[in-house]
Amino acid sequence: MELEAQWWTGQLAADIHQALRYKELKLPSYKGQSPQLHLRRYFADLIAIVSNRFRLCPAARHLAVYLLDLFMDRYDISTQQLHVVALSCLLLASKFEEKEDSVPKLEQLNSLGCMTNMNLVLTKQNLLHMELLLLETFQWNLCLPTAAHFIDYYLSIAVHETDLHDGWPMVCLEKTKLYMAKYADYFLEVSLQDHEFLNYAPSLVATACVASSRIILRLSPTWPTRLHHLTAYSWDFLVPCIERLLIAHDNDVKEANKQKGQQAQSAQHAVFQPPAPSAQQASAQQHVPQYLQAQQSSLQYHHAAAQQQSCQQMLPSAPAAPYPLQTCPAALQSGAQARGHAQPGAAVALAVPLDVKPCLSVSYNRTYHVNGRYSCITPCFER
Protein backbone atom coordinates (compact mmCIF):
# COMPACT_ATOMS: atom_id res chain seq x y z
CA MET A 1 0.00 0.00 0.00
CA GLU A 2 1.08 3.53 -0.58
CA LEU A 3 2.38 4.22 2.89
CA GLU A 4 5.19 6.50 3.90
CA ALA A 5 8.49 4.75 4.53
CA GLN A 6 8.79 3.68 8.18
CA TRP A 7 5.31 4.96 8.95
CA TRP A 8 5.41 3.09 12.27
CA THR A 9 7.88 5.67 13.62
CA GLY A 10 5.86 8.75 12.69
CA GLN A 11 3.25 10.74 14.56
CA LEU A 12 0.44 9.17 12.53
CA ALA A 13 1.47 5.60 13.33
CA ALA A 14 -1.48 4.92 15.62
CA ASP A 15 -3.96 6.32 13.10
CA ILE A 16 -2.45 4.33 10.23
CA HIS A 17 -2.51 1.18 12.34
CA GLN A 18 -6.16 1.74 13.21
CA ALA A 19 -6.97 2.25 9.52
CA LEU A 20 -5.23 -1.00 8.61
CA ARG A 21 -7.12 -2.85 11.34
CA TYR A 22 -10.37 -1.47 9.96
CA LYS A 23 -9.50 -2.53 6.40
CA GLU A 24 -8.63 -6.07 7.43
CA LEU A 25 -12.17 -6.50 8.75
CA LYS A 26 -13.39 -6.12 5.15
CA LEU A 27 -10.97 -8.55 3.52
CA PRO A 28 -12.51 -11.04 1.04
CA SER A 29 -13.41 -14.41 2.47
CA TYR A 30 -11.13 -17.37 1.79
CA LYS A 31 -12.65 -20.85 1.60
CA GLY A 32 -9.65 -22.99 0.66
CA GLN A 33 -11.62 -24.78 -2.06
CA SER A 34 -9.20 -24.52 -4.99
CA PRO A 35 -8.76 -27.76 -7.01
CA GLN A 36 -5.04 -26.86 -7.25
CA LEU A 37 -4.65 -26.34 -3.51
CA HIS A 38 -1.93 -29.02 -3.43
CA LEU A 39 0.16 -26.81 -5.74
CA ARG A 40 -0.26 -23.76 -3.57
CA ARG A 41 2.97 -24.35 -1.64
CA TYR A 42 5.04 -24.50 -4.84
CA PHE A 43 3.69 -21.23 -6.22
CA ALA A 44 4.03 -19.47 -2.87
CA ASP A 45 7.69 -20.52 -2.89
CA LEU A 46 8.02 -19.38 -6.50
CA ILE A 47 6.73 -15.91 -5.62
CA ALA A 48 9.06 -15.74 -2.63
CA ILE A 49 12.10 -16.74 -4.70
CA VAL A 50 11.34 -14.30 -7.51
CA SER A 51 10.61 -11.45 -5.08
CA ASN A 52 13.90 -12.10 -3.28
CA ARG A 53 15.75 -12.13 -6.58
CA PHE A 54 14.38 -8.70 -7.46
CA ARG A 55 14.73 -7.52 -3.84
CA LEU A 56 11.07 -6.65 -3.41
CA CYS A 57 9.78 -5.62 -0.01
CA PRO A 58 8.00 -8.17 2.24
CA ALA A 59 4.70 -6.32 1.80
CA ALA A 60 4.81 -6.91 -1.97
CA ARG A 61 5.65 -10.59 -1.48
CA HIS A 62 2.86 -11.19 1.01
CA LEU A 63 0.34 -9.25 -1.06
CA ALA A 64 1.27 -11.27 -4.15
CA VAL A 65 0.74 -14.58 -2.35
CA TYR A 66 -2.56 -13.32 -0.94
CA LEU A 67 -3.77 -12.29 -4.40
CA LEU A 68 -2.80 -15.72 -5.71
CA ASP A 69 -4.69 -17.44 -2.89
CA LEU A 70 -7.85 -15.45 -3.53
CA PHE A 71 -7.65 -16.03 -7.29
CA MET A 72 -7.05 -19.78 -6.96
CA ASP A 73 -9.94 -19.95 -4.51
CA ARG A 74 -12.32 -18.74 -7.20
CA TYR A 75 -10.99 -20.23 -10.45
CA ASP A 76 -9.96 -23.66 -11.75
CA ILE A 77 -6.71 -22.98 -13.62
CA SER A 78 -4.25 -25.26 -15.39
CA THR A 79 -0.82 -25.73 -13.85
CA GLN A 80 0.83 -24.01 -16.81
CA GLN A 81 -1.39 -20.97 -16.52
CA LEU A 82 -0.81 -20.79 -12.78
CA HIS A 83 2.76 -19.73 -13.53
CA VAL A 84 1.41 -16.74 -15.45
CA VAL A 85 -1.09 -15.98 -12.70
CA ALA A 86 1.57 -16.15 -9.97
CA LEU A 87 3.94 -13.83 -11.82
CA SER A 88 1.07 -11.47 -12.67
CA CYS A 89 0.12 -11.32 -8.99
CA LEU A 90 3.72 -10.46 -8.15
CA LEU A 91 3.78 -7.75 -10.81
CA LEU A 92 0.56 -6.20 -9.53
CA ALA A 93 1.74 -6.32 -5.93
CA SER A 94 5.11 -4.79 -6.81
CA LYS A 95 3.46 -2.01 -8.79
CA PHE A 96 1.28 -1.28 -5.77
CA GLU A 97 3.95 -1.54 -3.07
CA GLU A 98 7.25 -0.66 -4.76
CA LYS A 99 8.72 2.23 -6.67
CA GLU A 100 8.52 2.04 -10.44
CA ASP A 101 12.19 1.23 -10.98
CA SER A 102 11.92 -1.80 -8.64
CA VAL A 103 9.11 -3.49 -10.61
CA PRO A 104 10.43 -6.55 -12.53
CA LYS A 105 10.64 -6.17 -16.31
CA LEU A 106 9.08 -8.51 -18.86
CA GLU A 107 12.40 -9.76 -20.22
CA GLN A 108 13.61 -10.45 -16.67
CA LEU A 109 10.58 -12.63 -15.95
CA ASN A 110 11.00 -14.57 -19.20
CA SER A 111 14.58 -15.35 -18.23
CA LEU A 112 13.48 -17.20 -15.08
CA GLY A 113 14.23 -20.91 -14.94
CA CYS A 114 10.63 -21.87 -14.20
CA MET A 115 9.50 -20.20 -17.44
CA THR A 116 12.12 -22.07 -19.45
CA ASN A 117 11.21 -25.41 -17.88
CA MET A 118 7.52 -24.88 -18.62
CA ASN A 119 8.23 -23.63 -22.17
CA LEU A 120 6.36 -20.43 -21.32
CA VAL A 121 7.05 -17.05 -22.83
CA LEU A 122 5.23 -14.05 -21.40
CA THR A 123 4.08 -11.36 -23.77
CA LYS A 124 3.01 -7.86 -22.96
CA GLN A 125 -0.50 -8.56 -24.21
CA ASN A 126 -0.86 -11.71 -22.09
CA LEU A 127 0.30 -9.91 -18.96
CA LEU A 128 -2.08 -7.02 -19.56
CA HIS A 129 -5.01 -9.40 -20.01
CA MET A 130 -4.10 -11.35 -16.87
CA GLU A 131 -3.62 -8.19 -14.80
CA LEU A 132 -6.99 -6.92 -15.99
CA LEU A 133 -8.65 -10.21 -15.01
CA LEU A 134 -7.01 -10.03 -11.57
CA LEU A 135 -8.10 -6.44 -11.03
CA GLU A 136 -11.67 -7.21 -12.05
CA THR A 137 -11.66 -10.21 -9.69
CA PHE A 138 -10.64 -8.01 -6.79
CA GLN A 139 -12.90 -5.15 -7.92
CA TRP A 140 -9.82 -2.97 -8.51
CA ASN A 141 -9.06 -2.97 -4.81
CA LEU A 142 -5.49 -3.93 -3.95
CA CYS A 143 -5.51 -2.17 -0.60
CA LEU A 144 -5.48 -5.50 1.22
CA PRO A 145 -3.53 -5.55 4.51
CA THR A 146 -1.27 -8.52 5.15
CA ALA A 147 0.77 -9.56 8.18
CA ALA A 148 3.79 -7.86 6.62
CA HIS A 149 2.03 -4.50 6.88
CA PHE A 150 1.69 -4.82 10.68
CA ILE A 151 4.92 -6.49 11.72
CA ASP A 152 7.19 -3.42 11.81
CA TYR A 153 4.75 -1.49 13.96
CA TYR A 154 4.67 -4.29 16.51
CA LEU A 155 8.42 -4.82 16.36
CA SER A 156 8.98 -1.18 17.31
CA ILE A 157 8.22 -2.10 20.95
CA ALA A 158 8.76 -5.87 20.83
CA VAL A 159 11.92 -5.61 22.95
CA HIS A 160 12.42 -3.21 25.85
CA GLU A 161 15.27 -2.64 28.26
CA THR A 162 13.05 -3.81 31.12
CA ASP A 163 12.64 -7.27 29.56
CA LEU A 164 14.51 -10.16 31.15
CA HIS A 165 16.24 -13.09 29.52
CA ASP A 166 15.70 -16.18 31.67
CA GLY A 167 15.19 -13.86 34.61
CA TRP A 168 18.43 -11.95 34.02
CA PRO A 169 18.99 -8.50 32.49
CA MET A 170 19.97 -8.39 28.84
CA VAL A 171 23.61 -7.70 28.07
CA CYS A 172 23.01 -5.96 24.72
CA LEU A 173 19.61 -4.48 23.89
CA GLU A 174 20.43 -3.64 20.27
CA LYS A 175 21.60 -7.15 19.40
CA THR A 176 18.54 -8.60 21.05
CA LYS A 177 16.40 -6.37 18.81
CA LEU A 178 18.26 -7.70 15.80
CA TYR A 179 17.56 -11.28 16.85
CA MET A 180 13.93 -10.38 17.41
CA ALA A 181 13.64 -8.89 13.91
CA LYS A 182 15.24 -11.97 12.34
CA TYR A 183 12.99 -14.41 14.14
CA ALA A 184 9.90 -12.32 13.40
CA ASP A 185 10.87 -12.30 9.72
CA TYR A 186 11.35 -16.08 9.85
CA PHE A 187 7.92 -16.69 11.40
CA LEU A 188 6.39 -14.23 8.94
CA GLU A 189 7.73 -16.34 6.07
CA VAL A 190 6.46 -19.49 7.78
CA SER A 191 2.96 -18.02 7.67
CA LEU A 192 3.22 -17.83 3.86
CA GLN A 193 3.77 -21.57 3.53
CA ASP A 194 0.45 -22.77 4.94
CA HIS A 195 -2.90 -21.57 3.65
CA GLU A 196 -4.40 -22.29 7.08
CA PHE A 197 -2.92 -18.99 8.29
CA LEU A 198 -5.42 -17.24 6.03
CA ASN A 199 -8.06 -18.17 8.61
CA TYR A 200 -6.46 -15.67 10.98
CA ALA A 201 -6.59 -11.91 10.71
CA PRO A 202 -3.30 -10.49 9.30
CA SER A 203 -2.75 -8.39 12.43
CA LEU A 204 -3.16 -11.51 14.57
CA VAL A 205 -0.57 -13.39 12.49
CA ALA A 206 1.90 -10.52 12.84
CA THR A 207 1.26 -10.38 16.58
CA ALA A 208 1.75 -14.14 16.91
CA CYS A 209 5.07 -13.85 15.04
CA VAL A 210 6.29 -11.37 17.65
CA ALA A 211 5.01 -13.51 20.53
CA SER A 212 6.62 -16.66 19.09
CA SER A 213 9.92 -14.82 18.70
CA ARG A 214 9.82 -13.79 22.36
CA ILE A 215 9.23 -17.43 23.33
CA ILE A 216 12.17 -18.67 21.26
CA LEU A 217 14.42 -15.92 22.63
CA ARG A 218 13.21 -16.74 26.17
CA LEU A 219 12.26 -13.17 27.02
CA SER A 220 10.03 -12.49 29.98
CA PRO A 221 7.34 -11.54 30.54
CA THR A 222 6.31 -13.56 27.51
CA TRP A 223 3.50 -11.18 26.60
CA PRO A 224 4.07 -7.80 28.28
CA THR A 225 1.31 -5.29 28.88
CA ARG A 226 2.71 -2.83 26.34
CA LEU A 227 2.29 -5.34 23.49
CA HIS A 228 -1.16 -6.31 24.72
CA HIS A 229 -2.26 -2.68 24.61
CA LEU A 230 -0.63 -1.92 21.25
CA THR A 231 -1.96 -4.97 19.41
CA ALA A 232 -5.27 -5.28 21.30
CA TYR A 233 -4.73 -9.06 21.44
CA SER A 234 -4.63 -10.97 24.69
CA TRP A 235 -2.36 -13.98 25.18
CA ASP A 236 -5.21 -16.53 25.15
CA PHE A 237 -6.42 -15.13 21.84
CA LEU A 238 -2.98 -15.66 20.26
CA VAL A 239 -2.30 -19.21 21.48
CA PRO A 240 -3.74 -21.18 18.49
CA CYS A 241 -1.71 -19.21 15.95
CA ILE A 242 1.42 -19.35 18.11
CA GLU A 243 1.05 -23.13 18.29
CA ARG A 244 1.13 -23.42 14.50
CA LEU A 245 4.23 -21.25 14.26
CA LEU A 246 6.09 -23.17 16.97
CA ILE A 247 5.21 -26.52 15.41
CA ALA A 248 6.62 -25.29 12.11
CA HIS A 249 9.74 -24.08 13.91
CA ASP A 250 10.22 -27.47 15.57
CA ASN A 251 9.84 -29.25 12.24
CA ASP A 252 12.38 -26.95 10.63
CA VAL A 253 14.91 -27.54 13.40
CA LYS A 254 14.42 -31.32 13.30
CA GLU A 255 14.80 -31.40 9.53
CA ALA A 256 17.90 -29.21 9.63
CA ASN A 257 19.49 -31.36 12.35
CA LYS A 258 18.62 -34.49 10.39
CA GLN A 259 20.34 -33.18 7.28
CA LYS A 260 23.36 -32.11 9.28
CA GLY A 261 23.53 -35.55 10.84
CA GLN A 262 23.41 -37.18 7.41
CA GLN A 263 26.15 -34.88 6.14
CA ALA A 264 28.28 -35.63 9.19
CA GLN A 265 27.78 -39.38 8.74
CA SER A 266 28.79 -39.09 5.09
CA ALA A 267 31.89 -37.16 6.09
CA GLN A 268 32.76 -39.72 8.77
CA HIS A 269 32.23 -42.55 6.30
CA ALA A 270 34.60 -40.90 3.87
CA VAL A 271 37.21 -40.34 6.61
CA PHE A 272 37.00 -43.58 8.58
CA GLN A 273 36.24 -46.01 5.75
CA PRO A 274 38.66 -45.15 2.94
CA PRO A 275 39.17 -47.35 -0.10
CA ALA A 276 41.39 -50.42 0.18
CA PRO A 277 45.01 -49.39 0.82
CA SER A 278 47.72 -49.87 -1.71
CA ALA A 279 50.69 -52.20 -1.20
CA GLN A 280 52.84 -49.32 -0.02
CA GLN A 281 50.34 -48.43 2.71
CA ALA A 282 49.87 -51.94 4.07
CA SER A 283 52.74 -51.70 6.51
CA ALA A 284 51.31 -48.54 8.07
CA GLN A 285 47.74 -49.84 8.55
CA GLN A 286 48.38 -51.34 11.98
CA HIS A 287 49.04 -47.88 13.44
CA VAL A 288 45.84 -46.25 12.10
CA PRO A 289 43.31 -47.84 14.53
CA GLN A 290 45.29 -46.69 17.55
CA TYR A 291 45.39 -43.15 16.22
CA LEU A 292 41.66 -43.13 15.56
CA GLN A 293 40.89 -44.44 19.03
CA ALA A 294 43.00 -41.67 20.55
CA GLN A 295 41.14 -39.02 18.50
CA GLN A 296 37.66 -40.51 18.60
CA SER A 297 36.53 -38.67 21.73
CA SER A 298 37.51 -35.28 20.36
CA LEU A 299 35.89 -36.03 17.01
CA GLN A 300 32.64 -36.96 18.73
CA TYR A 301 32.80 -33.73 20.69
CA HIS A 302 33.18 -31.63 17.56
CA HIS A 303 30.39 -33.54 15.85
CA ALA A 304 28.04 -32.88 18.75
CA ALA A 305 29.03 -29.23 18.81
CA ALA A 306 28.37 -28.92 15.08
CA GLN A 307 24.81 -30.08 15.55
CA GLN A 308 24.17 -27.18 17.92
CA GLN A 309 25.15 -24.54 15.39
CA SER A 310 22.77 -22.47 13.33
CA CYS A 311 20.28 -24.22 11.08
CA GLN A 312 18.96 -23.19 7.71
CA GLN A 313 15.39 -22.09 7.26
CA MET A 314 13.46 -25.07 6.02
CA LEU A 315 9.90 -25.26 4.83
CA PRO A 316 7.40 -26.32 7.53
CA SER A 317 5.54 -29.59 7.38
CA ALA A 318 2.65 -31.30 9.13
CA PRO A 319 0.37 -28.33 9.75
CA ALA A 320 -1.84 -28.42 12.79
CA ALA A 321 -5.58 -28.83 12.61
CA PRO A 322 -7.66 -25.70 11.86
CA TYR A 323 -9.42 -23.80 14.62
CA PRO A 324 -12.92 -22.28 14.61
CA LEU A 325 -13.30 -18.61 13.83
CA GLN A 326 -13.91 -16.18 16.66
CA THR A 327 -14.56 -12.47 16.95
CA CYS A 328 -11.87 -9.85 17.31
CA PRO A 329 -10.83 -8.43 20.72
CA ALA A 330 -13.09 -5.98 22.48
CA ALA A 331 -10.41 -3.30 22.18
CA LEU A 332 -11.41 -2.91 18.53
CA GLN A 333 -14.75 -1.64 17.36
CA SER A 334 -17.60 -3.30 19.15
CA GLY A 335 -19.47 -5.75 17.02
CA ALA A 336 -16.80 -5.85 14.32
CA GLN A 337 -15.83 -9.35 13.22
CA ALA A 338 -12.20 -10.39 12.76
CA ARG A 339 -10.85 -13.57 11.26
CA GLY A 340 -8.85 -14.55 14.32
CA HIS A 341 -8.94 -17.74 16.34
CA ALA A 342 -9.23 -18.61 19.96
CA GLN A 343 -9.41 -21.99 21.57
CA PRO A 344 -9.53 -22.31 25.34
CA GLY A 345 -7.73 -25.13 26.97
CA ALA A 346 -5.53 -26.11 29.84
CA ALA A 347 -2.07 -24.59 29.62
CA VAL A 348 0.86 -26.98 29.55
CA ALA A 349 4.47 -26.06 30.25
CA LEU A 350 6.62 -25.12 27.26
CA ALA A 351 10.13 -26.34 28.00
CA VAL A 352 12.87 -24.40 26.20
CA PRO A 353 16.30 -26.08 26.25
CA LEU A 354 19.46 -24.20 27.06
CA ASP A 355 21.13 -22.35 24.20
CA VAL A 356 23.26 -19.33 25.11
CA LYS A 357 23.06 -16.29 22.84
CA PRO A 358 26.18 -14.19 22.38
CA CYS A 359 24.21 -11.02 22.96
CA LEU A 360 22.34 -12.22 26.04
CA SER A 361 23.38 -12.92 29.59
CA VAL A 362 23.98 -16.37 31.07
CA SER A 363 21.12 -18.68 30.13
CA TYR A 364 19.11 -20.98 32.37
CA ASN A 365 16.23 -23.32 31.63
CA ARG A 366 12.90 -21.54 31.89
CA THR A 367 9.27 -22.51 31.41
CA TYR A 368 6.53 -20.67 29.51
CA HIS A 369 2.89 -21.64 29.49
CA VAL A 370 1.15 -22.32 26.20
CA ASN A 371 -1.28 -24.96 24.96
CA GLY A 372 0.75 -27.93 23.82
CA ARG A 373 4.30 -29.01 24.53
CA TYR A 374 7.26 -28.09 22.34
CA SER A 375 10.99 -28.49 22.47
CA CYS A 376 12.05 -25.20 20.89
CA ILE A 377 15.70 -24.89 20.00
CA THR A 378 17.05 -21.41 19.32
CA PRO A 379 19.24 -21.57 16.22
CA CYS A 380 21.32 -18.62 15.17
CA PHE A 381 20.81 -17.07 11.77
CA GLU A 382 23.65 -17.17 9.28
CA ARG A 383 22.33 -15.37 6.25
Side-chain angles (χ1 to χ4, degrees):
M1 285 172 285
E2 298 178 358
L3 297 178
E4 182 183 358
Q6 296 188 349
W7 62 267
W8 53 92
T9 62
Q11 297 180 352
L12 299 178
D15 293 334
I16 295 175
H17 174 249
Q18 191 65 24
L20 291 174
R21 294 291 289 264
Y22 179 75
K23 287 182 179 295
E24 76 174 356
L25 299 177
K26 299 183 178 181
L27 288 174
S29 60
Y30 177 77
K31 300 179 181 179
Q33 60 185 7
S34 171
Q36 292 86 14
L37 194 59
H38 63 286
L39 298 175
R40 189 259 182 197
R41 175 70 169 273
Y42 165 77
F43 286 101
D45 290 343
L46 174 63
I47 290 177
I49 292 172
V50 176
S51 65
N52 287 333
R53 176 175 177 178
F54 294 107
R55 298 181 179 179
L56 302 180
C57 64
R61 178 165 62 254
H62 281 253
L63 178 59
V65 175
Y66 186 51
L67 295 178
L68 177 65
D69 284 326
L70 293 178
F71 193 82
M72 290 177 60
D73 205 38
R74 303 181 186 186
Y75 295 93
D76 187 354
I77 318 163
S78 66
T79 303
Q80 191 176 33
Q81 281 299 108
L82 272 177
H83 285 82
V84 181
V85 174
L87 294 177
S88 298
C89 289
L90 184 60
L91 276 179
L92 273 182
S94 61
K95 291 176 181 178
F96 192 72
E97 297 287 352
E98 294 280 2
K99 296 180 180 180
E100 184 177 356
D101 55 356
S102 299
V103 178
K105 304 298 186 293
L106 178 60
E107 56 274 11
Q108 293 175 320
L109 294 178
N110 280 324
S111 65
L112 296 175
C114 65
M115 303 299 293
T116 304
N117 295 336
M118 295 294 296
N119 293 324
L120 284 176
V121 177
L122 296 176
T123 64
K124 183 177 181 180
Q125 195 69 17
N126 288 340
L127 279 180
L128 288 176
H129 286 165
M130 184 57 67
E131 288 184 353
L132 182 60
L133 176 59
L134 289 169
L135 289 171
E136 290 178 348
T137 301
F138 306 126
Q139 300 179 351
W140 295 79
N141 176 30
L142 296 183
C143 189
L144 306 172
T146 67
H149 292 96
F150 293 94
I151 194 69
D152 289 315
Y153 184 57
Y154 299 155
L155 282 176
S156 62
I157 64 167
V159 179
H160 193 265
E161 59 184 4
T162 58
D163 290 336
L164 302 178
H165 175 256
D166 286 336
W168 291 79
M170 291 180 291
V171 174
C172 182
L173 178 63
E174 293 303 321
K175 287 188 177 181
T176 306
K177 289 182 178 181
L178 290 177
Y179 275 108
M180 171 63 67
K182 285 183 176 291
Y183 271 109
D185 179 67
Y186 160 74
F187 282 117
L188 200 63
E189 296 309 307
V190 167
S191 68
L192 278 184
Q193 307 304 321
D194 191 349
H195 70 277
E196 293 292 344
F197 284 98
L198 291 173
N199 294 323
Y200 301 94
S203 60
L204 189 148
V205 175
T207 305
C209 290
V210 174
S212 300
S213 300
R214 289 184 62 87
I215 291 176
I216 298 300
L217 290 175
R218 305 190 298 279
L219 298 179
S220 59
T222 306
W223 193 238
T225 305
R226 66 178 187 277
L227 282 170
H228 184 182
H229 289 166
L230 182 70
T231 64
Y233 287 115
S234 64
W235 173 257
D236 292 338
F237 203 78
L238 297 173
V239 165
C241 189
I242 293 174
E243 286 182 332
R244 288 186 182 274
L245 293 173
L246 293 180
I247 289 174
H249 174 268
D250 273 0
N251 291 334
D252 290 353
V253 172
K254 292 175 182 178
E255 183 65 24
N257 288 339
K258 179 180 178 181
Q259 291 190 0
K260 285 187 177 182
Q262 292 175 351
Q263 293 175 358
Q265 289 178 0
S266 299
Q268 286 181 348
H269 181 78
V271 172
F272 298 122
Q273 297 184 12
S278 62
Q280 292 83 356
Q281 297 172 333
S283 60
Q285 283 291 344
Q286 56 182 349
H287 304 289
V288 175
Q290 297 178 356
Y291 172 78
L292 292 181
Q293 290 177 1
Q295 300 295 327
Q296 186 174 8
S297 60
S298 62
L299 290 172
Q300 290 178 349
Y301 169 79
H302 289 298
H303 172 60
Q307 290 184 337
Q308 296 299 326
Q309 293 176 356
S310 61
C311 67
Q312 300 174 350
Q313 290 187 14
M314 309 298 297
L315 298 178
S317 59
Y323 296 87
L325 297 178
Q326 296 291 342
T327 57
C328 64
L332 298 179
Q333 290 182 326
S334 58
Q337 297 293 322
R339 301 189 304 158
H341 293 248
Q343 181 177 353
V348 185
L350 169 64
V352 184
L354 173 65
D355 188 11
V356 179
K357 286 286 182 181
C359 65
L360 301 176
S361 61
V362 179
S363 180
Y364 297 90
N365 288 333
R366 298 287 290 177
T367 301
Y368 299 96
H369 293 280
V370 68
N371 286 354
R373 187 175 184 87
Y374 308 98
S375 176
C376 297
I377 302 175
T378 310
C380 297
F381 284 79
E382 301 290 345
R383 53 175 180 164

